[in-house]
Amino acid sequence: MDKYIEIKKRFIGKFFEDKFAKEFTSYKVGGKIDIIVYPESTGDLIWLFEFIKKTGIKYFICGNSTNILVSDNGFCGVFIKTERIKNIEVDGLIIRAQSGFLWDDMIRIAVNNGLDGLVKTSYIPGSVGGAVRMNAGAFGEETFDCLESVDVIDLNNLEFKTLKKKDIVYGYRYVRDIENFFILSGEFRFRKSDKEELLNLRNEIIKKRIEKQPLDYPSAGSVFKRPLNNYASKLIDECGLKGLSVGGAMVSKKHCGFIINYNNATASDIYSLIKKVREIVYNKTGIELELEQVLVGEF
Ligand SMILES: Cc1cc2nc3c(=O)[nH]c(=O)nc-3n(C[C@H](O)[C@H](O)[C@H](O)COP(=O)(O)OP(=O)(O)OC[C@H]3O[C@@H](n4cnc5c(N)ncnc54)[C@H](O)[C@@H]3O)c2cc1C
């Protein structure tokens, strides 16, 4: 009996079966996912989460897949892709964006409307949902700087809720107690500023990122969080690990904080390299690097 038969009936034209993670993740690695579903409405989501509750099948919520490492064994369950939940609304200083809207598209819209506050996070390749979940950021600005509130589905009881920023505990690349929520949308409050200045700053930031990051190879951005009063990339470099490789995975020579898939790496190559880097850095410096990227499936 096909355990996904009801999903297939409910999501005609809105699912893929047996697609490989390497086809859609930024790392370009990872095995077969039983089923990937593309909900388009809150009705779709509630139906799906009720089904998941009833059957106990495993699920993973997936934005633009730019911060995940999916196992070579794939994932026996449902991937819920948010990319079709993507409305956006600009209302004076406020932007409301749904989870599947691309983060950088939102920043571009903000800049074009002369709205300042998150321009330094330009070019982060994730979705709004992913940015809220990770408190993504760059060059001293982060998602929560402008976030006012998040609309979510509480996955414990499938209730809709609005979480105000003041009630959320968050920090650097960290948001507490958010695992049990599906992020539907975020509301962001910006400051009015000069559009030309913002455009120039945005272009500068993009230029810097292209110069400093190994964007010509698949990766998922910085592998580790910044340790207190230090930089992961600096520590990795100082430990002599630039260019260290396992199989087709390599510590980028351009930016040591990135691991790149430079030659048909497997997820297992990347994971082994992550462990090796952590171990060597710990042995040499006593500092434990904390993983920023999210592991999906069994490693
Ligand atoms: C080249 C490159 C550069 C990068 N630079 C930066 C950078 O400068 N700063 C930075 O912070 N990050 C950076 N990243 C990492 C990544 O882009 C961010 O973490 C981004 O916010 C992840 O968003 P996503 O939509 O891709 O999330 P995914 O990778 O799809 O998911 C990440 C996590 O968010 C959860 N999630 C996603 N959507 C939802 C939702 N709707 N509800 C609940 N949970 C959800 C997932 O379950 C998972 O736990 C970079 C990545 C790459 C490839």
Side-chain angles (χ1 to χ4, degrees), residues 26 60-68 81-82 99-100 103 123-138 173 178 181-184 209 213 215 219-222 258 292 294:
S26 62
F60 181 76
I61 303 166
C62 191
N64 204 31
S65 318
T66 62
N67 209 32
I68 59 174
K81 268 278 205 186
T82 60
S99 59
W103 181 258
Y123 227 50
I124 293 180
S127 64
V128 168
V132 171
R133 171 70 179 78
M134 309 300 304
N135 190 16
R173 304 294 176 272
I178 197 145
F181 294 115
F182 180 93
I183 297 160
L184 285 167
R209 290 177 72 100
Q213 297 184 351
L215 301 182
S219 80
S222 297
F258 282 51
E292 179 174 320
V294 179

mmCIF file of all heavy atoms in Angstrom, residues 26 60-68 81-82 99-100 103 123-138 173 178 181-184 209 213 215 219-222 258 292 294, ligand 1:
data_model
loop_
_atom_site.group_PDB
_atom_site.id
_atom_site.type_symbol
_atom_site.label_atom_id
_atom_site.label_comp_id
_atom_site.label_asym_id
_atom_site.label_seq_id
_atom_site.Cartn_x
_atom_site.Cartn_y
_atom_site.Cartn_z
ATOM 1 N N SER A 26 21.388 23.746 -2.420
ATOM 2 C CA SER A 26 22.509 24.578 -2.886
ATOM 3 C C SER A 26 23.836 23.818 -2.826
ATOM 4 O O SER A 26 24.760 24.146 -3.552
ATOM 5 C CB SER A 26 22.581 25.881 -2.083
ATOM 6 O OG SER A 26 22.818 25.595 -0.731
ATOM 7 N N PHE A 60 9.846 17.329 6.757
ATOM 8 C CA PHE A 60 10.853 18.386 6.907
ATOM 9 C C PHE A 60 10.362 19.616 6.145
ATOM 10 O O PHE A 60 9.924 19.504 4.998
ATOM 11 C CB PHE A 60 12.223 17.940 6.362
ATOM 12 C CG PHE A 60 13.275 18.987 6.517
ATOM 13 C CD1 PHE A 60 13.861 19.226 7.756
ATOM 14 C CD2 PHE A 60 13.657 19.785 5.440
ATOM 15 C CE1 PHE A 60 14.813 20.227 7.915
ATOM 16 C CE2 PHE A 60 14.609 20.782 5.594
ATOM 17 C CZ PHE A 60 15.183 21.002 6.837
ATOM 18 N N ILE A 61 10.424 20.775 6.797
ATOM 19 C CA ILE A 61 9.988 22.025 6.145
ATOM 20 C C ILE A 61 11.200 22.624 5.444
ATOM 21 O O ILE A 61 12.269 22.772 6.043
ATOM 22 C CB ILE A 61 9.431 23.022 7.186
ATOM 23 C CG1 ILE A 61 8.275 22.393 7.967
ATOM 24 C CG2 ILE A 61 8.990 24.317 6.501
ATOM 25 C CD1 ILE A 61 7.894 23.161 9.217
ATOM 26 N N CYS A 62 10.998 22.977 4.214
ATOM 27 C CA CYS A 62 12.137 23.359 3.400
ATOM 28 C C CYS A 62 11.857 24.668 2.671
ATOM 29 O O CYS A 62 10.845 24.802 1.989
ATOM 30 C CB CYS A 62 12.289 22.214 2.411
ATOM 31 S SG CYS A 62 13.744 22.254 1.497
ATOM 32 N N GLY A 63 12.761 25.641 2.865
ATOM 33 C CA GLY A 63 12.622 26.907 2.144
ATOM 34 C C GLY A 63 13.331 26.799 0.806
ATOM 35 O O GLY A 63 12.974 25.978 -0.039
ATOM 36 N N ASN A 64 14.400 27.573 0.645
ATOM 37 C CA ASN A 64 15.132 27.535 -0.626
ATOM 38 C C ASN A 64 16.292 26.544 -0.587
ATOM 39 O O ASN A 64 17.121 26.528 -1.489
ATOM 40 C CB ASN A 64 15.626 28.945 -0.983
ATOM 41 C CG ASN A 64 15.841 29.108 -2.467
ATOM 42 O OD1 ASN A 64 15.152 28.476 -3.267
ATOM 43 N ND2 ASN A 64 16.791 29.937 -2.848
ATOM 44 N N SER A 65 16.389 25.784 0.497
ATOM 45 C CA SER A 65 17.388 24.696 0.629
ATOM 46 C C SER A 65 18.832 25.190 0.516
ATOM 47 O O SER A 65 19.680 24.524 -0.086
ATOM 48 C CB SER A 65 17.159 23.620 -0.452
ATOM 49 O OG SER A 65 15.806 23.356 -0.617
ATOM 50 N N THR A 66 19.110 26.369 1.089
ATOM 51 C CA THR A 66 20.464 26.921 1.005
ATOM 52 C C THR A 66 21.223 26.825 2.330
ATOM 53 O O THR A 66 22.319 27.365 2.454
ATOM 54 C CB THR A 66 20.449 28.403 0.554
ATOM 55 O OG1 THR A 66 19.740 29.174 1.537
ATOM 56 C CG2 THR A 66 19.800 28.575 -0.798
ATOM 57 N N ASN A 67 20.609 26.167 3.313
ATOM 58 C CA ASN A 67 21.323 26.006 4.586
ATOM 59 C C ASN A 67 21.193 24.592 5.114
ATOM 60 O O ASN A 67 21.304 24.370 6.305
ATOM 61 C CB ASN A 67 20.794 27.016 5.612
ATOM 62 C CG ASN A 67 21.850 27.415 6.616
ATOM 63 O OD1 ASN A 67 23.030 27.459 6.291
ATOM 64 N ND2 ASN A 67 21.453 27.666 7.839
ATOM 65 N N ILE A 68 20.948 23.649 4.188
ATOM 66 C CA ILE A 68 20.741 22.269 4.645
ATOM 67 C C ILE A 68 21.715 21.315 3.959
ATOM 68 O O ILE A 68 22.126 21.535 2.822
ATOM 69 C CB ILE A 68 19.275 21.788 4.412
ATOM 70 C CG1 ILE A 68 18.880 21.844 2.934
ATOM 71 C CG2 ILE A 68 18.303 22.594 5.249
ATOM 72 C CD1 ILE A 68 17.490 21.250 2.655
ATOM 73 N N LYS A 81 7.881 21.979 0.733
ATOM 74 C CA LYS A 81 8.599 23.101 0.097
ATOM 75 C C LYS A 81 7.699 24.335 0.107
ATOM 76 O O LYS A 81 6.546 24.273 -0.320
ATOM 77 C CB LYS A 81 8.896 22.743 -1.363
ATOM 78 C CG LYS A 81 10.225 22.086 -1.567
ATOM 79 C CD LYS A 81 11.280 23.165 -1.631
ATOM 80 C CE LYS A 81 12.521 22.813 -2.391
ATOM 81 N NZ LYS A 81 13.504 23.913 -2.238
ATOM 82 N N THR A 82 8.253 25.462 0.548
ATOM 83 C CA THR A 82 7.399 26.653 0.731
ATOM 84 C C THR A 82 7.343 27.561 -0.503
ATOM 85 O O THR A 82 6.695 28.595 -0.475
ATOM 86 C CB THR A 82 7.923 27.503 1.913
ATOM 87 O OG1 THR A 82 9.261 27.911 1.607
ATOM 88 C CG2 THR A 82 7.896 26.742 3.207
ATOM 89 N N SER A 99 6.412 33.059 3.647
ATOM 90 C CA SER A 99 7.661 32.321 3.900
ATOM 91 C C SER A 99 8.429 31.940 2.647
ATOM 92 O O SER A 99 9.657 31.920 2.650
ATOM 93 C CB SER A 99 7.379 31.070 4.724
ATOM 94 O OG SER A 99 6.476 30.245 4.043
ATOM 95 N N GLY A 100 7.736 31.627 1.552
ATOM 96 C CA GLY A 100 8.444 31.154 0.361
ATOM 97 C C GLY A 100 8.989 32.277 -0.512
ATOM 98 O O GLY A 100 9.676 32.009 -1.503
ATOM 99 N N TRP A 103 14.280 35.927 0.052
ATOM 100 C CA TRP A 103 14.772 36.998 0.927
ATOM 101 C C TRP A 103 15.342 38.163 0.118
ATOM 102 O O TRP A 103 15.002 39.322 0.326
ATOM 103 C CB TRP A 103 15.833 36.429 1.872
ATOM 104 C CG TRP A 103 16.371 37.450 2.804
ATOM 105 C CD1 TRP A 103 17.558 38.101 2.707
ATOM 106 C CD2 TRP A 103 15.718 37.964 3.967
ATOM 107 N NE1 TRP A 103 17.687 38.998 3.742
ATOM 108 C CE2 TRP A 103 16.577 38.922 4.530
ATOM 109 C CE3 TRP A 103 14.490 37.696 4.586
ATOM 110 C CZ2 TRP A 103 16.248 39.625 5.679
ATOM 111 C CZ3 TRP A 103 14.166 38.394 5.738
ATOM 112 C CH2 TRP A 103 15.034 39.345 6.267
ATOM 113 N N TYR A 123 21.517 39.623 -0.988
ATOM 114 C CA TYR A 123 22.168 38.491 -1.667
ATOM 115 C C TYR A 123 22.221 37.213 -0.835
ATOM 116 O O TYR A 123 22.813 36.226 -1.260
ATOM 117 C CB TYR A 123 23.593 38.881 -2.104
ATOM 118 C CG TYR A 123 23.903 38.496 -3.549
ATOM 119 C CD1 TYR A 123 23.037 38.830 -4.584
ATOM 120 C CD2 TYR A 123 25.072 37.798 -3.870
ATOM 121 C CE1 TYR A 123 23.335 38.488 -5.896
ATOM 122 C CE2 TYR A 123 25.384 37.459 -5.185
ATOM 123 C CZ TYR A 123 24.514 37.798 -6.185
ATOM 124 O OH TYR A 123 24.819 37.457 -7.481
ATOM 125 N N ILE A 124 21.625 37.213 0.365
ATOM 126 C CA ILE A 124 21.516 35.939 1.090
ATOM 127 C C ILE A 124 20.490 35.116 0.301
ATOM 128 O O ILE A 124 19.380 35.580 0.058
ATOM 129 C CB ILE A 124 21.063 36.156 2.558
ATOM 130 C CG1 ILE A 124 22.160 36.894 3.337
ATOM 131 C CG2 ILE A 124 20.752 34.811 3.222
ATOM 132 C CD1 ILE A 124 21.833 37.165 4.789
ATOM 133 N N PRO A 125 20.868 33.900 -0.094
ATOM 134 C CA PRO A 125 20.040 33.230 -1.103
ATOM 135 C C PRO A 125 18.821 32.448 -0.593
ATOM 136 O O PRO A 125 18.230 31.697 -1.364
ATOM 137 C CB PRO A 125 21.050 32.275 -1.756
ATOM 138 C CG PRO A 125 22.039 31.978 -0.690
ATOM 139 C CD PRO A 125 22.124 33.187 0.178
ATOM 140 N N GLY A 126 18.435 32.626 0.663
ATOM 141 C CA GLY A 126 17.320 31.827 1.192
ATOM 142 C C GLY A 126 15.957 32.466 0.991
ATOM 143 O O GLY A 126 15.793 33.433 0.245
ATOM 144 N N SER A 127 14.988 31.897 1.680
ATOM 145 C CA SER A 127 13.611 32.403 1.651
ATOM 146 C C SER A 127 13.352 33.222 2.915
ATOM 147 O O SER A 127 14.155 33.201 3.857
ATOM 148 C CB SER A 127 12.650 31.214 1.630
ATOM 149 O OG SER A 127 12.792 30.479 2.841
ATOM 150 N N VAL A 128 12.213 33.889 2.945
ATOM 151 C CA VAL A 128 11.838 34.654 4.154
ATOM 152 C C VAL A 128 11.683 33.699 5.344
ATOM 153 O O VAL A 128 12.195 33.963 6.449
ATOM 154 C CB VAL A 128 10.536 35.462 3.895
ATOM 155 C CG1 VAL A 128 9.965 36.020 5.190
ATOM 156 C CG2 VAL A 128 10.814 36.584 2.901
ATOM 157 N N GLY A 129 11.031 32.560 5.143
ATOM 158 C CA GLY A 129 10.845 31.587 6.238
ATOM 159 C C GLY A 129 12.186 31.101 6.776
ATOM 160 O O GLY A 129 12.389 31.019 7.991
ATOM 161 N N GLY A 130 13.101 30.798 5.858
ATOM 162 C CA GLY A 130 14.427 30.319 6.262
ATOM 163 C C GLY A 130 15.186 31.386 7.023
ATOM 164 O O GLY A 130 15.864 31.111 8.014
ATOM 165 N N ALA A 131 15.058 32.640 6.579
ATOM 166 C CA ALA A 131 15.778 33.743 7.240
ATOM 167 C C ALA A 131 15.244 33.954 8.656
ATOM 168 O O ALA A 131 16.018 34.184 9.594
ATOM 169 C CB ALA A 131 15.644 35.024 6.417
ATOM 170 N N VAL A 132 13.930 33.860 8.815
ATOM 171 C CA VAL A 132 13.343 34.035 10.155
ATOM 172 C C VAL A 132 13.790 32.875 11.058
ATOM 173 O O VAL A 132 14.230 33.083 12.194
ATOM 174 C CB VAL A 132 11.798 34.110 10.086
ATOM 175 C CG1 VAL A 132 11.192 34.060 11.486
ATOM 176 C CG2 VAL A 132 11.354 35.366 9.337
ATOM 177 N N ARG A 133 13.736 31.667 10.512
ATOM 178 C CA ARG A 133 14.086 30.470 11.297
ATOM 179 C C ARG A 133 15.537 30.516 11.786
ATOM 180 O O ARG A 133 15.867 30.105 12.880
ATOM 181 C CB ARG A 133 13.844 29.225 10.428
ATOM 182 C CG ARG A 133 14.343 27.920 10.977
ATOM 183 C CD ARG A 133 13.514 27.489 12.173
ATOM 184 N NE ARG A 133 13.971 26.227 12.706
ATOM 185 C CZ ARG A 133 15.035 26.077 13.483
ATOM 186 N NH1 ARG A 133 15.759 27.132 13.814
ATOM 187 N NH2 ARG A 133 15.368 24.887 13.938
ATOM 188 N N MET A 134 16.431 31.043 10.901
ATOM 189 C CA MET A 134 17.864 31.035 11.213
ATOM 190 C C MET A 134 18.324 32.368 11.801
ATOM 191 O O MET A 134 19.466 32.508 12.172
ATOM 192 C CB MET A 134 18.702 30.792 9.939
ATOM 193 C CG MET A 134 18.324 29.598 9.084
ATOM 194 S SD MET A 134 18.418 28.006 9.929
ATOM 195 C CE MET A 134 20.092 27.964 10.500
ATOM 196 N N ASN A 135 17.454 33.381 11.812
ATOM 197 C CA ASN A 135 17.884 34.761 12.055
ATOM 198 C C ASN A 135 19.112 35.058 11.195
ATOM 199 O O ASN A 135 20.181 35.443 11.694
ATOM 200 C CB ASN A 135 18.134 35.050 13.532
ATOM 201 C CG ASN A 135 18.333 36.547 13.799
ATOM 202 O OD1 ASN A 135 18.004 37.394 12.953
ATOM 203 N ND2 ASN A 135 18.860 36.877 14.959
ATOM 204 N N ALA A 136 18.922 34.866 9.908
ATOM 205 C CA ALA A 136 20.020 35.067 8.952
ATOM 206 C C ALA A 136 20.485 36.516 8.981
ATOM 207 O O ALA A 136 19.694 37.429 9.287
ATOM 208 C CB ALA A 136 19.537 34.702 7.541
ATOM 209 N N GLY A 137 21.741 36.724 8.646
ATOM 210 C CA GLY A 137 22.253 38.090 8.653
ATOM 211 C C GLY A 137 23.619 38.190 8.021
ATOM 212 O O GLY A 137 24.229 37.174 7.673
ATOM 213 N N ALA A 138 24.062 39.418 7.855
ATOM 214 C CA ALA A 138 25.388 39.661 7.285
ATOM 215 C C ALA A 138 25.806 41.095 7.573
ATOM 216 O O ALA A 138 24.944 41.983 7.676
ATOM 217 C CB ALA A 138 25.370 39.429 5.776
ATOM 218 N N ARG A 173 22.180 34.108 14.859
ATOM 219 C CA ARG A 173 21.823 32.884 14.095
ATOM 220 C C ARG A 173 21.089 31.867 14.981
ATOM 221 O O ARG A 173 21.332 30.659 14.914
ATOM 222 C CB ARG A 173 23.065 32.207 13.491
ATOM 223 C CG ARG A 173 23.901 33.061 12.626
ATOM 224 C CD ARG A 173 23.244 33.518 11.324
ATOM 225 N NE ARG A 173 24.147 34.405 10.655
ATOM 226 C CZ ARG A 173 24.176 35.732 10.879
ATOM 227 N NH1 ARG A 173 23.313 36.310 11.698
ATOM 228 N NH2 ARG A 173 25.050 36.485 10.246
ATOM 229 N N ILE A 178 11.386 27.531 18.116
ATOM 230 C CA ILE A 178 10.659 27.798 16.870
ATOM 231 C C ILE A 178 10.448 26.506 16.063
ATOM 232 O O ILE A 178 9.750 26.483 15.067
ATOM 233 C CB ILE A 178 11.375 28.902 16.044
ATOM 234 C CG1 ILE A 178 10.435 29.475 14.981
ATOM 235 C CG2 ILE A 178 12.674 28.418 15.408
ATOM 236 C CD1 ILE A 178 10.597 30.916 14.699
ATOM 237 N N PHE A 181 6.884 25.307 14.945
ATOM 238 C CA PHE A 181 6.031 26.223 14.198
ATOM 239 C C PHE A 181 6.325 26.142 12.713
ATOM 240 O O PHE A 181 7.493 26.052 12.322
ATOM 241 C CB PHE A 181 6.262 27.679 14.641
ATOM 242 C CG PHE A 181 5.849 27.950 16.051
ATOM 243 C CD1 PHE A 181 6.790 28.294 17.009
ATOM 244 C CD2 PHE A 181 4.519 27.869 16.424
ATOM 245 C CE1 PHE A 181 6.418 28.554 18.320
ATOM 246 C CE2 PHE A 181 4.135 28.129 17.737
ATOM 247 C CZ PHE A 181 5.080 28.466 18.685
ATOM 248 N N PHE A 182 5.267 26.206 11.921
ATOM 249 C CA PHE A 182 5.462 26.457 10.498
ATOM 250 C C PHE A 182 5.367 27.967 10.330
ATOM 251 O O PHE A 182 4.360 28.585 10.694
ATOM 252 C CB PHE A 182 4.378 25.761 9.648
ATOM 253 C CG PHE A 182 4.559 26.019 8.183
ATOM 254 C CD1 PHE A 182 5.285 25.143 7.399
ATOM 255 C CD2 PHE A 182 4.034 27.161 7.589
ATOM 256 C CE1 PHE A 182 5.492 25.392 6.045
ATOM 257 C CE2 PHE A 182 4.237 27.423 6.233
ATOM 258 C CZ PHE A 182 4.964 26.537 5.462
ATOM 259 N N ILE A 183 6.403 28.580 9.797
ATOM 260 C CA ILE A 183 6.404 30.038 9.603
ATOM 261 C C ILE A 183 5.623 30.350 8.331
ATOM 262 O O ILE A 183 5.996 29.906 7.238
ATOM 263 C CB ILE A 183 7.851 30.565 9.500
ATOM 264 C CG1 ILE A 183 8.593 30.290 10.812
ATOM 265 C CG2 ILE A 183 7.873 32.046 9.149
ATOM 266 C CD1 ILE A 183 10.106 30.300 10.696
ATOM 267 N N LEU A 184 4.531 31.080 8.496
ATOM 268 C CA LEU A 184 3.698 31.439 7.327
ATOM 269 C C LEU A 184 4.205 32.726 6.684
ATOM 270 O O LEU A 184 4.318 32.824 5.470
ATOM 271 C CB LEU A 184 2.246 31.663 7.768
ATOM 272 C CG LEU A 184 1.436 30.412 8.089
ATOM 273 C CD1 LEU A 184 0.151 30.797 8.802
ATOM 274 C CD2 LEU A 184 1.121 29.641 6.813
ATOM 275 N N ARG A 209 30.393 40.401 -1.673
ATOM 276 C CA ARG A 209 30.086 38.979 -1.528
ATOM 277 C C ARG A 209 30.650 38.186 -2.703
ATOM 278 O O ARG A 209 31.210 37.107 -2.518
ATOM 279 C CB ARG A 209 28.572 38.772 -1.392
ATOM 280 C CG ARG A 209 28.023 39.283 -0.057
ATOM 281 C CD ARG A 209 26.536 39.127 0.028
ATOM 282 N NE ARG A 209 26.131 37.754 0.196
ATOM 283 C CZ ARG A 209 25.791 37.190 1.356
ATOM 284 N NH1 ARG A 209 25.780 37.898 2.462
ATOM 285 N NH2 ARG A 209 25.439 35.932 1.406
ATOM 286 N N GLN A 213 33.289 35.425 -1.588
ATOM 287 C CA GLN A 213 32.710 34.092 -1.385
ATOM 288 C C GLN A 213 32.914 33.207 -2.625
ATOM 289 O O GLN A 213 32.896 33.710 -3.745
ATOM 290 C CB GLN A 213 31.206 34.225 -1.083
ATOM 291 C CG GLN A 213 30.924 34.986 0.193
ATOM 292 C CD GLN A 213 29.437 35.036 0.540
ATOM 293 O OE1 GLN A 213 28.588 34.648 -0.258
ATOM 294 N NE2 GLN A 213 29.142 35.528 1.725
ATOM 295 N N LEU A 215 31.366 31.665 -4.877
ATOM 296 C CA LEU A 215 30.011 31.476 -5.412
ATOM 297 C C LEU A 215 29.986 30.657 -6.704
ATOM 298 O O LEU A 215 28.927 30.297 -7.188
ATOM 299 C CB LEU A 215 29.330 32.835 -5.635
ATOM 300 C CG LEU A 215 29.187 33.708 -4.384
ATOM 301 C CD1 LEU A 215 28.468 35.007 -4.685
ATOM 302 C CD2 LEU A 215 28.450 32.948 -3.273
ATOM 303 N N SER A 219 27.581 25.330 -2.401
ATOM 304 C CA SER A 219 27.869 25.348 -0.958
ATOM 305 C C SER A 219 26.563 25.653 -0.240
ATOM 306 O O SER A 219 25.523 25.805 -0.883
ATOM 307 C CB SER A 219 28.895 26.447 -0.624
ATOM 308 O OG SER A 219 28.256 27.713 -0.559
ATOM 309 N N ALA A 220 26.638 25.773 1.075
ATOM 310 C CA ALA A 220 25.464 26.240 1.807
ATOM 311 C C ALA A 220 25.893 27.402 2.709
ATOM 312 O O ALA A 220 25.437 27.542 3.838
ATOM 313 C CB ALA A 220 24.810 25.115 2.591
ATOM 314 N N GLY A 221 26.810 28.221 2.209
ATOM 315 C CA GLY A 221 27.270 29.386 2.964
ATOM 316 C C GLY A 221 28.198 28.970 4.094
ATOM 317 O O GLY A 221 28.848 27.913 4.043
ATOM 318 N N SER A 222 28.269 29.799 5.132
ATOM 319 C CA SER A 222 29.161 29.502 6.262
ATOM 320 C C SER A 222 28.705 28.227 6.953
ATOM 321 O O SER A 222 27.522 28.075 7.263
ATOM 322 C CB SER A 222 29.130 30.642 7.281
ATOM 323 O OG SER A 222 29.615 31.801 6.674
ATOM 324 N N PHE A 258 33.561 28.463 4.336
ATOM 325 C CA PHE A 258 32.694 27.692 3.436
ATOM 326 C C PHE A 258 33.314 26.331 3.145
ATOM 327 O O PHE A 258 34.531 26.243 2.943
ATOM 328 C CB PHE A 258 32.558 28.389 2.070
ATOM 329 C CG PHE A 258 31.618 29.560 2.013
ATOM 330 C CD1 PHE A 258 31.710 30.599 2.925
ATOM 331 C CD2 PHE A 258 30.659 29.644 1.010
ATOM 332 C CE1 PHE A 258 30.850 31.703 2.845
ATOM 333 C CE2 PHE A 258 29.801 30.730 0.919
ATOM 334 C CZ PHE A 258 29.896 31.764 1.833
ATOM 335 N N GLU A 292 26.272 25.744 11.843
ATOM 336 C CA GLU A 292 25.157 26.649 11.507
ATOM 337 C C GLU A 292 24.170 25.934 10.583
ATOM 338 O O GLU A 292 22.966 26.169 10.608
ATOM 339 C CB GLU A 292 25.719 27.902 10.816
ATOM 340 C CG GLU A 292 24.646 28.888 10.406
ATOM 341 C CD GLU A 292 25.221 30.190 9.858
ATOM 342 O OE1 GLU A 292 26.212 30.690 10.403
ATOM 343 O OE2 GLU A 292 24.658 30.693 8.874
ATOM 344 N N VAL A 294 21.939 22.927 8.738
ATOM 345 C CA VAL A 294 20.978 21.971 9.305
ATOM 346 C C VAL A 294 21.152 20.612 8.617
ATOM 347 O O VAL A 294 21.118 20.530 7.385
ATOM 348 C CB VAL A 294 19.533 22.497 9.076
ATOM 349 C CG1 VAL A 294 18.512 21.520 9.630
ATOM 350 C CG2 VAL A 294 19.364 23.890 9.684
HETATM 351 C C1 LIG B 1 26.296 31.186 -1.108
HETATM 352 C C2 LIG B 1 25.580 31.277 0.207
HETATM 353 C C3 LIG B 1 25.755 32.389 1.011
HETATM 354 C C4 LIG B 1 25.083 32.496 2.238
HETATM 355 N N1 LIG B 1 25.276 33.606 2.995
HETATM 356 C C5 LIG B 1 24.633 33.729 4.168
HETATM 357 C C6 LIG B 1 24.803 34.908 4.977
HETATM 358 O O1 LIG B 1 25.500 35.855 4.611
HETATM 359 N N2 LIG B 1 24.144 34.961 6.162
HETATM 360 C C7 LIG B 1 23.340 33.945 6.589
HETATM 361 O O2 LIG B 1 22.762 34.073 7.682
HETATM 362 N N3 LIG B 1 23.160 32.832 5.854
HETATM 363 C C8 LIG B 1 23.774 32.690 4.653
HETATM 364 N N4 LIG B 1 23.594 31.568 3.911
HETATM 365 C C9 LIG B 1 22.778 30.465 4.423
HETATM 366 C C10 LIG B 1 21.291 30.526 4.035
HETATM 367 O O3 LIG B 1 21.096 31.186 2.798
HETATM 368 C C11 LIG B 1 20.447 31.197 5.110
HETATM 369 O O4 LIG B 1 20.557 30.527 6.346
HETATM 370 C C12 LIG B 1 18.979 31.267 4.711
HETATM 371 O O5 LIG B 1 18.285 32.059 5.631
HETATM 372 C C13 LIG B 1 18.321 29.881 4.653
HETATM 373 O O6 LIG B 1 17.052 30.025 4.040
HETATM 374 P P1 LIG B 1 16.409 28.844 3.192
HETATM 375 O O7 LIG B 1 15.083 29.299 2.743
HETATM 376 O O8 LIG B 1 17.330 28.389 2.144
HETATM 377 O O9 LIG B 1 16.254 27.759 4.318
HETATM 378 P P2 LIG B 1 16.447 26.153 4.206
HETATM 379 O O10 LIG B 1 17.881 25.874 3.956
HETATM 380 O O11 LIG B 1 15.470 25.591 3.245
HETATM 381 O O12 LIG B 1 16.082 25.739 5.680
HETATM 382 C C14 LIG B 1 16.844 26.191 6.781
HETATM 383 C C15 LIG B 1 16.053 25.926 8.069
HETATM 384 O O13 LIG B 1 14.896 26.747 8.087
HETATM 385 C C16 LIG B 1 13.726 25.945 8.293
HETATM 386 N N5 LIG B 1 12.620 26.580 7.558
HETATM 387 C C17 LIG B 1 12.631 27.096 6.300
HETATM 388 N N6 LIG B 1 11.423 27.625 6.008
HETATM 389 C C18 LIG B 1 10.644 27.429 7.103
HETATM 390 C C19 LIG B 1 9.275 27.746 7.412
HETATM 391 N N7 LIG B 1 8.474 28.351 6.540
HETATM 392 N N8 LIG B 1 8.801 27.384 8.632
HETATM 393 C C20 LIG B 1 9.598 26.755 9.525
HETATM 394 N N9 LIG B 1 10.880 26.430 9.289
HETATM 395 C C21 LIG B 1 11.402 26.776 8.088
HETATM 396 C C22 LIG B 1 14.113 24.569 7.755
HETATM 397 O O14 LIG B 1 13.299 23.549 8.314
HETATM 398 C C23 LIG B 1 15.559 24.492 8.197
HETATM 399 O O15 LIG B 1 15.616 24.126 9.558
HETATM 400 C C24 LIG B 1 24.234 31.442 2.670
HETATM 401 C C25 LIG B 1 24.050 30.337 1.845
HETATM 402 C C26 LIG B 1 24.708 30.235 0.626
HETATM 403 C C27 LIG B 1 24.475 29.051 -0.257
#
